[in-house]
Amino acid sequence: MTPLEAGKRAGGALTKMIVYIVVYVIVAAALQFLMSRFHVIAYLKYVNAILVLAFGWYIVNSFADFIYWTMRGKYDHPTAVAFKNMMRIIGIIAIIAAVVGAAVGGIGGLTIGGFLGIVVGFAMQQVAGQAVAGIFLMGARPFKVGDHVNILGEDGIVEDVTSLFTKVRKQDGTVVLIPSSSVIGNKIYLMLQKLTGQQSGQ
């Protein structure tokens, strides 16, 4: 993936996001006008909630794609995906808060939406923390796939590094998934030789 190609795809994702936002504004304004004209304005908040949910999903995904292709021009696929997933998680939390706020309306809607956003954010804290640790891990690159490492007493060959886990295969074939936050906060031993079982083609 060349930086030029990644830049073109990032531009395409950004264009899609802008189009979705413009269409959302037009549709929301048109529906508000029609509902006020036919005296069904009382249902507007429910319509707004549906619009936020529908268009919000497309907008969030387009923004996540934009982040992915922007990062892809400089970093590898796993690192770019980690950033994309982080943006998607944040976007989903924002959509949930916005939908509740739109459905309830007024100060109450803002209060409930904000509270729900905090609750969901707290529930996602562990996952988000793991993802952030994974991003730093893939950026720092203390080891790579194929390296023989010892992390938290787990000795084996690195098979994959994702935003949430590092996958290590031990000599007996056992696969260990080590959380990224645990890898970041502990010593990493890079062994000079591969395991004998791995060398023999296990």
Side-chain angles (χ1 to χ4, degrees):
M1 175 63 63
T2 64
L4 180 60
E5 184 179 354
K8 289 181 179 179
R9 297 198 179 188
L14 182 61
T15 300
K16 286 174 60 177
M17 183 182 70
I18 294 174
V19 169
Y20 287 138
I21 293 174
V22 171
V23 172
Y24 165 72
V25 172
I26 294 174
V27 172
L31 287 175
Q32 182 174 0
F33 172 77
L34 291 174
M35 294 182 75
S36 61
R37 184 179 181 86
F38 291 99
H39 307 291
V40 288
I41 198 69
Y43 298 99
L44 180 61
K45 58 185 179 181
Y46 303 111
V47 173
N48 282 336
I50 295 174
L51 288 177
V52 169
L53 183 62
F55 281 95
W57 175 251
Y58 288 108
I59 292 170
V60 165
N61 275 298
S62 298
F63 181 69
D65 287 339
F66 169 72
I67 294 297
Y68 171 81
W69 290 115
T70 300
M71 300 301 300
R72 191 67 178 86
K74 299 179 180 179
Y75 301 97
D76 57 8
H77 172 71
T79 304
V81 167
F83 277 96
K84 177 179 179 178
N85 290 338
M86 276 294 298
M87 293 302 103
R88 184 171 287 168
I89 290 172
I90 295 172
I92 290 174
I93 294 173
I95 289 175
I96 293 174
V99 167
V100 174
V104 177
I107 300 299
L110 292 176
T111 303
I112 296 176
F115 175 75
L116 185 59
I118 293 174
V119 171
V120 175
F122 182 78
M124 297 295 294
Q125 181 179 4
Q126 185 68 22
V127 176
Q130 292 282 13
V132 171
I135 291 172
F136 282 113
L137 186 62
M138 289 184 287
R141 298 176 182 274
F143 50 78
K144 62 183 183 297
V145 173
D147 282 352
H148 180 192
V149 300
N150 187 302
I151 305 172
L152 296 173
E154 303 294 349
D155 189 276
I157 303 299
V158 177
E159 288 198 340
D160 195 13
V161 181
T162 69
S163 59
L164 297 180
F165 298 99
T166 293
K167 182 179 178 181
V168 175
R169 184 176 294 275
K170 302 174 69 173
Q171 187 172 11
D172 61 2
T174 303
V175 175
V176 182
L177 299 178
I178 306 175
S180 297
S181 59
S182 298
V183 177
I184 290 292
N186 288 276
K187 292 181 180 179
I188 302 171
Y189 295 92
L190 300 177
M191 316 305 286
L192 296 179
Q193 296 181 349
K194 290 187 176 182
L195 298 175
T196 55
Q198 300 286 347
Q199 287 180 321
S200 61
Q202 182 177 351

